[in-house]
Amino acid sequence: MPISDPIKKQIAVKSLLFVKICRKCYARNPVSAKKCRRCKSKQLRYKKREKSK
Ligand SMILES: [Zn+2]
């Protein structure tokens, strides 16, 4: 579904990019998280930030 509203797209992109992904269970965690909320693993990585315009 294409998003035509640029503001909505900005929010969508932010919410997609500003997360940490657990390397173990691939759960999404907030950027401020130090541990995975699901499996308590500390192996979190940032979601890749790719420019897709
Ligand atoms: Zn996890």
Side-chain angles (χ1 to χ4, degrees):
M1 188 181 89
I3 302 166
S4 51
D5 191 333
I7 297 162
K8 277 184 185 173
K9 190 173 184 182
Q10 212 175 29
I11 295 164
V13 167
K14 273 191 179 180
S15 63
L16 280 170
L17 297 185
F18 288 83
V19 290
K20 279 179 173 176
I21 308 293
C22 174
R23 286 185 199 269
K24 275 191 169 181
C25 70
Y26 305 104
R28 279 201 200 179
N29 292 276
V31 178
S32 57
K34 287 177 182 173
K35 282 192 273 183
C36 174
R37 60 181 165 159
R38 208 175 181 189
C39 69
K40 308 290 197 304
S41 165
K42 285 182 182 175
Q43 292 174 296
L44 299 174
R45 63 165 173 85
Y46 280 99
K47 193 162 175 64
K48 276 183 189 171
R49 294 182 188 186
E50 290 168 10
K51 283 183 183 175
S52 55
K53 282 183 180 174

